[in-house]
Amino acid sequence: MRIIITITACFSLLLMQSCLKLDQEFYSEVTPSTFFKNKSDVYAALYRPFTHARWYVGEDRWRLQEYTADNFAITTKGRHWYNGGENERYHYHRWTPDDNWIWGTWRGTLMGVALCLDVKSDLAQLDYEKLTMTAEDQVAHLAQLDALIAFFYMRGLDYFGGMPIFTSLEGESLPRNTDEELFKHIETLLQNAIEALPEKAQDQETEGSLYKVAAAAMLAQLYFNAESYISKPMYTEAKAIATDIIDNKYGTYSLDGDWNGPHGFNNNKSPELLWAIPSKFKYLQYDWFYADFYHYNTRQYFDQDMGGNNGAHLTPSRQPNGNVYTSFKLGKPYEKFTAGDVRKQPYVYNGGDDYEGMFIIGPHKTPDGRPINGGEEYKDKPLTFVDQVGRFSEVGPDKKYNSIEQLPSKMSEGEENTGVRLVKVPIPNIGNNDKRWGAYNPVIRLAEIYYILAECHFREGNLAEAASLVNQVRKRNFADQVDPNPVTSTNLDKYRLLDEWSIEFLGEGRRRTDLIRWNAFVTESWWDHQPSQSAHLNRFPVPTQAISGNNNLQPNPGYN
């Protein structure tokens, strides 16, 4: 594993052209004392694992959380996106140990742990005072790495259950630890990090570091999902930590007054972010999301130079005939937004840092109002994005279907304009490309802590308090903070609570975890997905490539 880290580090250095100096001094053995010359060297090493974390929270990890759940799908669109049936396997819960998203996630999890351990080993050996730093700085840096190790392992526990626990880079081909052992390891790392990490100064902008509040929030997340992870409910423990965070025991934070404050171009200034990873000026940070979601011609809508692959969209709220689905309760994400919710309007970039809405729906037009045409089923015809799935282009005289009522709606029946598209990360026009992907990636928001506390109260039967906490977040999404559909003790049940998680955190890579916590992931229906009733699917299989490289690994129960 150290060899892998060394290769990765050297490749990164080459990219930064740090090896092009002609007056280099060579050493027979590179040690921390010879490599680290100043404070900048320390921070460059410290933040290398955070770069990995920034990648880790997107791409395949995001896909496993969202495309397997009820809010998103990648439908086949004519000749596009069947992908050998891959997208249907995830949607219908038929994945296998050979699927790439699963292997990439297993590998990415342990790579994150290895990167942290490698840096931790080096920083622990340094004399910080010689580098004009303090012993307190060293303690905080090592605690950040411990918290980041806990973050990677907690995601691994969520996806796979027990994983091999590495505490150094010396071991290899380690067997899997049990779920309980990994849970305890994460818990200990976070408890120690909470004690060692400093609080962020009041009004200090987010810059990507892990502070005391982030470790506390991760521990709350661990306890909140403990029943899923180790079959032991720990909602009381989660509730206590969430209460302390909201009461500012770990630093001063507050809900943002604007719905897009935690997501916008300047979200590093949002008081709601407990941990966010910088991505400013990294112009490819969200290219995977752009490619997945947006039509080939959506570049005209954004007035941008980027092309999309037109794959993903929200699962449909409506049948082909236009009626809202009523035969299932989950999914239907666009319809779950209350009328008047400012987020529900189409995305429009108004210039500077100003934008509104977070969806692409309805007639597709350029910023100056010209129709945008399709290139497949609607070639040379104006595109209109619909909250439905069906081959509407095949309805009519001498076509496959005589009427819309005959249209099937399922994964194989998409078109190029199928589905509502999400714009959670704001996109400027090409004239303001210095802002493109400048927003930080929110990993933990205070709104999540409010919802954790609300759900804990709900599970204790305190429905009024649960409703109040959710409404404190909801109200910012309506004019004058007047919510026409607030949560109340009479309308709050399991499904309303799951809806609220869906609405507030749509597209933030957590939906599968929420469904599993409510025993809904394999027991509930949504759109064309039928429940398997197979509990082993709450975890992904240990990848074939992992087992083939380590004979000490055992597959998860239920998988061959």
Side-chain angles (χ1 to χ4, degrees):
M1 191 174 291
R2 179 175 288 276
I3 293 173
I4 295 174
I5 299 301
T6 303
I7 292 172
T8 304
C10 290
F11 182 66
S12 299
L13 290 172
L14 286 171
L15 288 179
M16 294 186 289
Q17 300 183 349
S18 63
C19 295
L20 298 183
K21 295 180 181 178
L22 299 180
D23 58 346
Q24 292 179 10
E25 183 176 357
F26 292 90
Y27 300 91
S28 60
E29 181 180 357
V30 177
T31 65
S33 62
T34 59
F35 183 80
F36 293 92
K37 294 297 186 182
N38 51 49
K39 185 185 298 187
S40 296
D41 291 340
V42 172
Y43 280 104
L46 176 63
Y47 288 125
R48 172 62 187 94
F50 285 83
T51 302
H52 183 78
R54 171 63 192 85
W55 164 82
Y56 183 86
V57 297
E59 303 201 30
D60 290 353
R61 273 62 52 202
W62 189 97
R63 293 171 180 131
L64 289 181
Q65 283 284 69
E66 300 289 3
Y67 294 141
T68 62
D70 59 329
N71 283 338
F72 295 94
I74 303 177
T75 52
T76 300
K77 300 171 181 65
R79 61 194 178 101
H80 297 290
W81 281 106
Y82 178 66
N83 283 15
E86 178 183 53
N87 300 316
E88 293 189 6
R89 287 201 301 277
Y90 287 110
H91 179 78
Y92 296 127
H93 293 188
R94 298 170 186 161
W95 50 76
T96 75
D98 298 318
D99 278 314
N100 288 331
W101 296 353
I102 295 171
W103 163 237
T105 297
W106 175 276
R107 180 177 177 274
T109 300
L110 292 180
M111 177 64 79
V113 172
L115 285 166
C116 292
L117 289 173
D118 190 55
V119 176
K120 185 180 176 183
S121 173
D122 288 342
L123 298 190
Q125 300 177 54
L126 294 180
D127 185 339
Y128 265 54
E129 291 185 357
K130 289 183 178 180
L131 300 172
T132 68
M133 304 174 77
T134 67
E136 289 76 15
D137 291 330
Q138 188 172 32
V139 169
H141 292 171
L142 296 177
Q144 283 200 65
L145 293 167
D146 278 344
L148 196 54
I149 291 170
F151 166 75
F152 287 121
Y153 266 139
M154 183 161 60
R155 300 314 304 148
L157 178 64
D158 189 279
Y159 290 121
F160 301 105
M163 300 186 79
I165 295 177
F166 290 89
T167 56
S168 73
L169 297 181
E170 301 307 316
E172 60 180 54
S173 298
L174 297 181
R176 295 177 68 187
N177 288 82
T178 66
D179 305 344
E180 292 77 9
E181 289 169 341
L182 184 55
F183 184 97
K184 184 62 179 177
H185 183 60
I186 297 165
E187 181 183 38
T188 300
L189 286 169
L190 291 173
Q191 288 172 337
N192 293 340
I194 291 170
E195 292 299 318
L197 285 170
E199 291 183 11
K200 189 173 76 170
Q202 190 170 357
D203 299 325
Q204 178 184 348
E205 293 182 7
T206 295
E207 87 291 347
S209 297
L210 283 163
Y211 290 95
K212 192 180 292 287
V213 71
M218 281 189 254
L219 189 58
Q221 292 171 332
L222 182 71
Y223 291 151
F224 189 51
N225 292 291
E227 189 170 16
S228 302
Y229 296 159
I230 57 172
S231 301
K232 179 183 177 182
M234 299 184 72
Y235 297 107
T236 300
E237 292 84 346
K239 176 186 172 185
I241 298 175
T243 300
D244 286 343
I245 292 173
I246 291 172
D247 289 343
N248 292 323
K249 179 179 178 180
Y250 301 104
T252 303
Y253 301 86
S254 60
L255 293 173
D256 203 300
D258 296 321
W259 72 269
N260 56 1
H263 308 287
F265 295 105
N266 297 309
N267 64 343
N268 60 310
K269 299 178 181 179
S270 174
E272 184 171 317
L273 297 186
L274 307 187
W275 179 34
I277 304 177
S279 57
K280 195 170 182 62
F281 305 129
K282 305 295 186 183
Y283 292 138
L284 296 180
Q285 289 288 3
Y286 291 94
D287 63 339
W288 65 273
F289 191 94
Y290 188 102
D292 275 9
F293 270 84
Y294 305 133
H295 189 276
Y296 326 108
N297 295 333
T298 295
R299 67 180 73 189
Q300 301 172 46
Y301 179 83
F302 291 128
D303 187 20
Q304 266 292 351
D305 62 353
M306 300 171 288
N309 297 329
N310 198 34
H313 52 81
L314 274 62
T315 53
S317 304
R318 296 178 180 273
Q319 304 171 54
N321 63 13
N323 295 332
V324 175
Y325 285 106
T326 58
S327 59
F328 50 86
K329 295 182 177 180
L330 296 182
K332 300 177 282 188
Y334 185 74
E335 194 68 26
K336 297 290 176 64
F337 284 79
T338 301
D341 190 324
V342 295
R343 297 169 296 181
K344 196 174 184 179
Q345 48 193 322
Y347 175 83
V348 176
Y349 176 63
N350 296 319
D353 297 325
D354 185 32
Y355 70 97
E356 55 192 79
M358 66 179 200
F359 296 105
I360 295 176
I361 187 171
H364 214 33
K365 296 182 179 181
T366 63
D368 60 4
R370 291 177 289 111
I372 298 172
N373 293 338
E376 297 290 332
E377 293 88 355
Y378 299 96
K379 183 175 175 60
D380 300 325
K381 298 178 181 178
L383 281 173
T384 298
F385 287 96
V386 296
D387 191 14
Q388 297 155 289
V389 173
R391 299 284 297 172
F392 293 92
S393 61
E394 297 181 355
V395 176
D398 302 321
K399 292 188 176 182
K400 187 173 181 179
Y401 302 102
N402 294 324
S403 71
I404 288 176
E405 296 292 338
Q406 295 178 334
L407 282 179
S409 184
K410 56 184 179 180
M411 284 288 288
S412 61
E413 302 299 311
E415 295 183 317
E416 63 178 317
N417 65 338
T418 288
V420 179
R421 312 302 171 92
L422 178 67
V423 191
K424 199 70 178 265
V425 180
I427 301 172
N429 58 33
I430 197 169
N432 289 276
N433 252 8
D434 60 321
K435 298 180 181 296
R436 191 166 94 189
W437 313 145
Y440 282 34
N441 188 90
V443 184
I444 308 175
R445 300 197 276 125
L446 186 62
E448 178 183 356
I449 305 303
Y450 271 76
Y451 278 44
I452 286 175
L453 186 55
E455 185 172 318
C456 290
H457 276 292
F458 175 85
R459 289 175 181 274
E460 291 179 349
N462 301 325
L463 273 62
E465 181 62 24
S468 174
L469 287 161
V470 173
N471 288 333
Q472 289 180 61
V473 180
R474 275 184 61 93
K475 64 183 181 181
R476 67 184 175 192
N477 304 306
F478 301 92
D480 300 321
Q481 297 192 346
V482 178
D483 183 353
N485 183 30
V487 179
T488 68
S489 56
T490 56
N491 67 22
L492 184 57
D493 60 9
K494 163 185 173 178
Y495 295 102
R496 177 68 190 255
L497 197 50
L498 277 171
D499 285 349
E500 294 303 325
W501 278 109
S502 170
I503 293 165
E504 177 62 29
F505 297 94
L506 184 66
E508 295 188 38
R510 63 168 300 123
R511 186 58 172 172
R512 168 187 156 274
T513 299
D514 290 331
L515 294 181
I516 290 174
R517 190 176 61 257
W518 278 101
N519 192 31
F521 187 60
V522 298
T523 63
E524 296 275 353
S525 302
W526 54 84
W527 182 37
D528 71 330
H529 172 94
Q530 298 301 315
S532 66
Q533 306 294 346
S534 300
H536 76 277
L537 294 173
N538 285 326
R539 288 179 177 164
F540 293 109
V542 179
T544 299
Q545 286 179 265
I547 293 177
S548 65
N550 180 357
N551 292 330
N552 289 320
L553 295 178
Q554 296 297 320
N556 271 336
Y559 295 103
N560 293 326

